[in-house]
Structures are given as C-alpha cells and as structure tokens.
Amino acid sequence: DSGVTQTPKHLITATGQRVTLRCSPRSGDLSVYWYQQSLDQGLQFLIQYYNGEERAKGNILERFSAQQFPDLHSELNLSSLELGDSALYFCASSVELRPQHFGDGTRLSIL
Amino acid sequence: AQTVTQSQPEMSVQEAETVTLSCTYDTSESDYYLFWYKQPPSRQMILVIRQEAYKQQNATENRFSVNFQKAAKSFSLKISDSQLGDAAMYFCAHDSNYQLIWGAGTKLIIKP
C-alpha cells in the first residue's frame, strides 16, 4: 500500500460528459502529480501541485483542469470527454519531488 | 530535451536466473534522480529502486540492483533469482523540472 488513495477505481461514461477524479496524498506529502497512461503506452505527465499551488504543467489538454485543496487532496476534472480520453489516470505524491509514490489509478472508459 | 530510452520492448528469463534491463537517458542537469518502476498486470505502479545521481555507489534493494554509469548516462536494472512474481512491465524514469520523464517500458516475461 503506497498510502496514496484514488477514487473511483473505475469510471464509465459517455462522450461529451464531465468527470472528476479524486486523489488523497500520503500523510505529510505536499506535492501531488497527475499522469495519464493510455493503453500499452508509457505515462504522460499532466500537472503538479505543491501545497495548493500549481508548480508544473505537462501535456494537459485545455478540457482538463486540476486543483489542490487546503487539506492537500487533489481533483482532476475532465470535460467534453472524447473516446481518446479513455486511459488509466494516476495520482502520485511526494514530500518534495522525490520519490513519487503512486496510487492504484482510476480507469476511465468512454463509451 | 530530456529523454529516457528503453531499447528492449520485451525480455524473457528463466525462473531463478538473472536478467538485466537497459535504460539510457539524456539530461543537462547535474543533480537528479533515476527510478525503476514495476507495473504488473494489476496496473499498479510500484517503485522498485531509485538512484541519486550524486552517489557513486549503485543502489540495491534485495534482489534488485542497478548499474549506474553517469558519464554514459546509463541506468540498467539487474534482477537476480528471477521469480514468477517479477513478471511485469518495467519503466525507467528520470526526474526533471518537477516531473518524471518515462521510458516506453520493457515487458519482462518469466519462464517457469
């Protein structure tokens, strides 16, 4: 158990819809990272927050947004969903930067 | 650009034997970390081992060890006494600018 909690584990929805993925970091970790893993591919960094503030942004679409709340949990919002958004979405956390411990991921399926 | 290259899409090894997975990276930074992660069929992402670039000594975690060659920008993973539970995708990663840069992964097959 990495101590990083992601909910829900599975999410099935339709194109055009909006979903919210939630992440609770390990106790004491201030940084939260979001990654996307499409089928049979490596991970793509989306965005990082540190103590409530956005610190780095990767290949995140404009339809996607995220935030980190005062209690340090984070949410990733995906809107106007397309078939290509089907993927495994990972949250990771760390005290500063290294190492990064991962949650079990949320598997998003777009029908 | 920061890149991580895993040149072996798939490797197989006999149970109880030793296997080495290759990884090379490109960076202009002097202080950085390198990681190996394991992703079994359950799709969890599990940290296997990490190496701080400023440390000359190669990291070791039980049956897992690395061969870190900083000048060559090489970071290979050696798995000794391979077990069936080691079957997974293995990803090499390098940290840069608050994010991890990932290799494409190597699928490790363990033959009983």
Side-chain angles (χ1 to χ4, degrees), chain A residues 45-69:
Chain A
F45 169 71
L46 296 178
I47 198 165
Q48 182 214 358
Y49 283 85
Y50 177 79
N51 203 21
E53 295 188 2
E54 181 183 307
R55 174 167 279 191
K57 185 177 285 189
N59 299 318
I60 188 167
L61 300 173
E62 288 190 6
R63 299 184 286 109
F64 296 0
S65 65
Q67 57 182 326
Q68 186 180 28
F69 295 87

Side-chain angles (χ1 to χ4, degrees), chain A residues 65-77:
Chain A
S65 65
Q67 57 182 326
Q68 186 180 28
F69 295 87
D71 67 353
L72 300 178
H73 91 271
S74 178
E75 293 181 355
L76 178 67
N77 300 297

Side-chain angles (χ1 to χ4, degrees), chain A residues 2 4 26 29 31-35 43 45 48 91-103, chain B residues 35 37 45-47 50 95-96 98-102:
Chain A
S2 68
V4 180
R26 293 189 313 166
D29 285 0
S31 286
V32 170
Y33 311 75
W34 286 98
Y35 291 88
L43 280 76
F45 169 71
Q48 182 214 358
C91 169
S93 75
S94 65
V95 174
E96 278 289 343
L97 175 64
R98 318 152 171 146
Q100 295 184 358
H101 294 273
F102 284 73
Chain B
F35 305 88
Y37 281 88
M45 195 64 71
I46 302 166
L47 179 63
R50 72 172 185 173
D95 71 325
S96 174
Y98 310 114
Q99 61 176 285
L100 288 177
I101 309 298
W102 298 82

